[in-house]
Amino acid sequence: MQLEQTIEKLMEDYHVAGMSVALIKDGQIVSSEGYGKRNVQEDLPMTKDTVLPIGSITKTFTSLALAMLADEGKLDWDEPVISYIPWLKLNNPVLTENVTARDLMCHRTGTPKYDLQAIYAVRDDKVEMVKSLEYLQTTAAFRTKFQYSNQMVSLAGYLVDVLSGKSYEDFVRERIFTPLGMTSSDFEMESLAKYENTSKGYVFANDNFIEPPYMHLGAFAPSGAIVSTAEDMAKFALFQLGDGTWEGHRLVSEAMLKEMHTHQMIGTPYFWEFEEIQCAEYGLGWFTDIYRGRKMINHGGNTNGFSAQMTLLPEEKFAIIALSNATSSFSVNALGHYAVDEALGVEDIPDWSGRFNEIFANLMQGMMAGMQAKAEAKVPDTQPSKAFEEYAGKYEHPGFGTMEFAMTEQGLAGTWNGLPAMLIHYNYDTFDLMLPVLGQAVPAEFIYENDEIAGLNVCVEPTPGVKPELFRRG
């Protein structure tokens, strides 16, 4: 495989404007390069030093921060979190009283994803963020099922604030970024203002690159808010392939580094099963797979307009980091598999681009089938119980914030915690809550008490078993 040719082919296959890639072989950074455009409109090139969001790869930094505190005796991975945060209250007493940092970091709390809360009900105040977690329903018994949760990792990140006396962000800057020389790494998209070499994010639609809004994560920073470069991330990957030291200075114990890379919970949120992956499990902030008989640790990341992937083969001292400015693109996953196969000397490398494209096509087919089924189930020519303008107003939920709608020429338009939202009538008292930031809609139904509008029931999480949440009319 010629790396450059493979990257260019993947960018063409997946309509990716730009990608920044670093490669480590035999414990050495052998290449770091940008491809395509970081800004399509201004025709600016992507480089190895272009700053992009790494999304959920941030979780590997959160794990490392906690491991450092564990080395210092400030954190016990298996001590209930309530010992450190006495006022903690989660969905049920069993979870509240027993959940540990290990549980949070390996996604075994029984809490589903709740992506809408992480995007539309984001809080900047960390205490308020933690308090909002009480309202996240669980759909599996504690420690019985792998369920990926950004919110639970964010709670783990808050432990860094509590136990270190510093903010999570400052701790990571001082204890990880600075020692590793990650000079172009920071938090949140707003921090990009201090860098000149940054990338726009894109969604490819109707033969055009469309720029979606940046995603603000606020207090959910430990789950996905780091921005970095391929050059900086190569240093982080090289550190992960080592023994816990960097340039002669120990940052974390070797035992703790191995602990993070060791499986803790069976199951991953992959959309796929490949015969090459004999085992897919999760460690502490890392996917811990067995790939073609070799240990492979990795993590991906997606935010609005960006996708990233970091894949390491510890025994081979190999790593590849790919940062792209394409929303939810499997291009970075395919590149990781191509590069790993070449590193392992695989003679007949599969068509990874085709495999992931097929997965994407199946996802789209399933989505279209769901939309068709919903359209067919709609009862035509119905009206809600009240005149449309009567539904205008404010609707509030203690865990998910405020929705506010006004009657406009386009219908019931408004916001959910400041982000645009719109209610489109479906049938009877059921509406589609349109969420332009995500380009999707969720069901919502008006509720009445004594013939008065009492609130709006919203499906804030699609996982089976999660009941709609009632936003009370203000």
Side-chain angles (χ1 to χ4, degrees):
M1 177 191 77
Q2 297 296 320
L3 183 65
E4 184 171 344
Q5 294 176 355
T6 300
I7 291 171
E8 290 174 353
K9 179 65 163 57
L10 287 170
M11 289 172 62
E12 180 181 347
D13 289 349
Y14 289 87
H15 304 291
V16 178
M19 193 179 289
S20 191
V21 180
L23 191 67
I24 295 172
K25 290 183 178 180
D26 299 320
Q28 299 290 326
I29 301 172
V30 296
S31 67
S32 185
E33 195 69 50
Y35 304 85
K37 304 297 180 183
R38 61 185 173 93
N39 187 318
V40 173
Q41 289 76 12
E42 297 181 20
D43 195 34
L44 299 177
M46 183 74 77
T47 75
K48 66 179 181 179
D49 297 313
T50 299
V51 180
L52 303 96
I54 67 169
S56 285
I57 300 177
T58 300
K59 293 177 175 65
T60 64
F61 289 82
T62 302
S63 180
L64 178 57
L66 291 168
M68 290 172 167
L69 291 172
D71 272 340
E72 296 170 8
K74 295 179 180 179
L75 171 75
D76 183 332
W77 285 105
D78 300 305
E79 179 73 17
V81 174
I82 199 169
S83 299
Y84 307 116
I85 309 174
W87 49 268
L88 178 68
K89 185 177 181 181
L90 299 176
N91 174 261
N92 59 72
V94 170
L95 185 58
T96 300
E97 295 166 12
N98 295 282
V99 71
T100 67
R102 189 183 304 275
D103 297 319
L104 298 174
M105 289 306 301
C106 71
H107 304 290
R108 63 186 189 191
T109 67
T111 309
K113 287 195 74 174
Y114 275 98
D115 282 344
L116 291 187
Q117 195 227 21
I119 297 171
Y120 282 88
V122 62
R123 289 166 166 77
D124 289 323
D125 185 282
K126 295 177 181 179
V127 171
E128 290 303 311
M129 178 275 290
V130 174
K131 289 181 177 179
S132 76
L133 303 182
E134 172 188 354
Y135 300 96
L136 303 186
Q137 301 171 43
T138 54
T139 55
F142 183 43
R143 293 178 182 161
T144 63
K145 184 178 180 181
F146 179 93
Q147 288 179 291
Y148 195 85
S149 172
N150 289 305
Q151 287 88 335
M152 295 298 107
V153 172
S154 298
L155 172 57
Y158 180 61
L159 280 172
V160 176
D161 294 66
V162 173
L163 299 177
S164 73
K166 300 178 180 180
S167 72
Y168 164 83
E169 294 82 358
D170 282 345
F171 186 94
V172 171
R173 289 185 186 107
E174 294 174 16
R175 300 285 295 273
I176 302 176
F177 292 164
T178 297
L180 295 182
M182 299 177 67
T183 56
S184 295
S185 300
D186 209 329
F187 287 88
E188 277 288 308
M189 297 308 301
E190 285 85 349
S191 71
L192 293 181
K194 71 181 185 181
Y195 301 114
E196 291 184 7
N197 187 353
T198 62
S199 178
K200 298 290 187 180
Y202 297 104
V203 175
F204 188 79
N206 301 320
D207 294 325
N208 289 303
F209 288 104
I210 299 170
E211 188 179 333
Y214 285 132
M215 188 178 292
H216 173 64
L217 292 175
F220 291 129
S223 68
I226 288 177
V227 296
S228 189
T229 69
E231 185 85 346
D232 273 8
M233 289 301 295
K235 297 174 185 176
F236 181 72
L238 195 57
F239 170 76
Q240 293 290 334
L241 292 171
D243 62 359
T245 63
W246 186 260
E247 296 180 344
H249 301 284
R250 180 160 296 284
L251 302 187
V252 72
S253 66
E254 186 172 8
M256 199 59 68
L257 193 66
K258 290 180 178 178
E259 181 79 359
M260 289 183 281
H261 299 168
T262 301
H263 69 267
Q264 312 283 329
M265 189 62 187
I266 296 172
T268 69
Y270 294 153
F271 294 117
W272 53 82
E273 290 184 7
F274 298 134
E275 61 181 359
E276 293 83 3
I277 302 177
Q278 286 87 43
C279 183
E281 299 176 332
Y282 202 88
L284 295 174
W286 287 91
F287 296 99
T288 57
D289 301 343
I290 301 298
Y291 182 84
R292 297 188 187 273
R294 302 313 212 302
K295 182 174 183 177
M296 181 174 80
I297 60 172
N298 70 98
H299 216 293
N302 292 284
T303 62
N304 233 17
F306 303 91
S307 300
Q309 180 69 29
M310 179 169 63
T311 304
L312 294 76
L313 297 174
E315 296 167 4
E316 286 74 18
K317 299 294 182 182
F318 169 89
I320 183 166
I321 301 98
L323 311 179
S324 81
N325 55 13
T327 290
S328 300
S329 176
F330 287 138
S331 60
V332 292
N333 303 88
L335 177 59
H337 282 282
Y338 277 125
V340 166
D341 278 353
E342 184 179 77
L344 294 176
V346 175
E347 293 184 3
D348 188 15
I349 297 179
D351 177 13
W352 288 111
S353 180
R355 284 189 179 189
F356 280 103
N357 253 328
E358 183 178 356
I359 291 167
F360 179 76
N362 290 337
L363 289 173
M364 291 300 101
Q365 184 178 355
M367 186 182 301
M368 295 302 294
M371 292 173 62
Q372 182 177 349
K374 182 177 179 179
E376 292 174 352
K378 180 179 179 178
V379 180
D381 303 322
T382 65
Q383 294 292 323
S385 299
K386 305 285 185 179
F388 283 98
E389 57 269 20
E390 292 188 47
Y391 296 104
K394 183 182 292 186
Y395 299 83
E396 298 174 306
H397 187 287
F400 298 92
T402 302
M403 295 183 186
E404 193 163 6
F405 301 98
M407 194 65 198
T408 69
E409 292 181 359
Q410 290 74 38
L412 286 162
T415 60
W416 181 2
N417 294 322
L419 294 176
M422 189 169 186
L423 288 169
I424 305 296
H425 186 244
Y426 177 66
N427 61 25
Y428 300 111
D429 288 321
T430 301
F431 287 69
D432 285 326
L433 177 62
M434 307 297 296
L435 304 171
V437 170
L438 290 180
Q440 70 180 62
V442 297
E445 182 177 7
F446 282 99
I447 302 300
Y448 307 89
E449 293 175 1
N450 299 321
D451 198 38
E452 296 293 327
I453 302 168
L456 184 64
N457 254 345
V458 180
C459 295
V460 296
E461 169 55 40
T463 300
V466 176
K467 299 176 182 178
E469 295 287 347
L470 179 60
F471 288 68
R472 282 277 177 184
R473 189 167 197 179

